[in-house]
Amino acid sequence: MKRLALIAILLACVGVHAEPSPTTAPSIWMTSLHAAIASADEKPILLFVGATSCDACRSVDMSLKTLEAAGALRDFTLLRIDFDEQPDEVRRLEVNTIPSVRLLSPKGGLIESRSGPQTLDDLRDLLSHRESAISVPTDPALSGDDCPTREGFDRLLELMTSDDTRSRRSAIARVAAHRFLAADVVDAFAGASMRLRLALLDVLSGWDAPMGDIDPWRPESITPESLARLREWAALPATRPTSGPSSVGRSDVTQGR
């Protein structure tokens, strides 16, 4: 009995002096690009754009919470935009497809972009490009998130054929973020070299362009008819920039379901 009483006393003492279990502080999600850039402090920005009415968005949101709980997002500045409630931010970021998850440089430059349903592994792969987001190539054409000028667009086409993988990927992502450049991309695709054509195919495929039977490895498949179909698609209103309050509505955005 004495031994049991001693054990009880020792256990009580351990309980009194035990350190509390460490807990992870909840992450702070910014709600505007301006606020995210201001607080980035050299951290890359992880942007998530979704809507409560979108099933795929809720799935991606759950995956992000899983990564957050595991501490995988601690080295990122987090930015969450509600597609329905923040039309100005949606227009500024030129988001046409939800869910959308993007990796931005600390200054807001686009590094990687993923749209539609994303698995946990897809998101982990996106996060793996963190170093690229920190050390963004210094070419002026790759900086910022506004629409490239004509000169800037031509420079991005050059960078798409660069031997530097980081510059090439950044150039593709920079153009892919501005879907209303579709007509310029189609024109460039029509007369591009094989290497540039493959890069532009990534952009057009990401926009769900009607590529049909076009095979970049077979120049003969790029016919006047197929180019006419692409140019007709590029002229659709969804590919044009908006002015003033955003006119993008639920019928204009592609939901990954």
Side-chain angles (χ1 to χ4, degrees):
M1 291 295 292
K2 290 182 179 180
R3 180 175 297 177
L4 290 176
L6 180 60
I7 292 174
I9 292 172
L10 290 173
L11 289 174
C13 291
V14 170
V16 169
H17 296 289
E19 293 293 330
S21 300
T23 57
T24 302
S27 301
I28 298 175
W29 286 81
M30 300 293 153
T31 57
S32 75
L33 180 61
H34 177 76
I37 292 174
S39 63
D41 192 26
E42 300 307 315
K43 286 184 178 181
I45 299 170
L46 181 65
L47 165 67
F48 170 54
V49 183
T52 56
S53 57
C54 165
D55 293 337
C57 298
R58 290 193 292 272
S59 177
V60 171
D61 188 35
M62 289 297 296
S63 294
L64 287 171
K65 288 177 179 176
T66 298
L67 292 170
E68 184 179 351
L73 306 186
R74 67 169 66 95
D75 294 324
F76 297 85
T77 297
L78 306 177
L79 172 59
R80 183 189 300 270
I81 301 297
D82 188 299
F83 181 85
D84 291 324
E85 302 296 330
Q86 298 176 267
D88 289 342
E89 288 291 329
V90 169
R91 186 183 74 252
R92 185 175 296 113
L93 293 163
E94 296 175 11
V95 175
N96 295 297
T97 301
I98 57 172
S100 178
V101 186
R102 297 178 181 178
L103 184 60
L104 311 177
S105 73
K107 299 299 183 183
L110 183 64
I111 304 302
E112 291 285 336
S113 180
R114 308 288 170 83
S115 298
Q118 301 292 313
T119 66
L120 202 56
D121 284 340
D122 291 332
L123 295 174
R124 288 194 182 102
D125 179 66
L126 178 67
L127 298 180
S128 71
H129 296 283
R130 178 179 178 276
E131 293 303 319
S132 295
I134 295 175
S135 54
V136 181
T138 57
D139 194 295
L142 297 173
S143 62
D145 61 355
D146 55 330
C147 182
T149 62
R150 178 73 252 180
E151 181 180 313
F153 178 74
D154 291 341
R155 175 58 180 156
L156 289 170
L157 293 181
E158 294 177 8
L159 291 171
M160 284 184 188
T161 62
S162 170
D163 290 330
D164 181 73
T165 302
R166 191 174 56 188
S167 294
R168 187 167 63 251
R169 291 172 65 91
S170 295
I172 292 172
R174 179 91 166 86
V175 171
H178 300 278
R179 187 171 179 261
F180 54 78
L181 289 173
D184 296 306
V185 170
V186 171
D187 286 343
F189 181 83
S193 64
M194 174 62 71
R195 193 169 188 179
L196 178 56
R197 193 178 297 147
L198 290 171
L200 293 174
L201 179 64
D202 281 349
V203 175
L204 290 168
S205 297
W207 289 338
D208 293 327
M211 302 306 293
D213 295 328
I214 290 179
D215 180 350
W217 297 98
R218 296 172 48 245
E220 66 273 15
S221 69
I222 306 175
T223 62
E225 293 76 18
S226 63
L227 289 175
R229 184 173 62 247
L230 283 174
R231 290 192 170 102
E232 181 179 356
W233 163 82
L236 293 175
T239 67
R240 298 299 182 193
T242 59
S243 57
S246 175
S247 62
V248 178
R250 181 60 54 192
S251 63
D252 300 309
V253 68
T254 300
Q255 289 193 37
R257 295 184 182 273

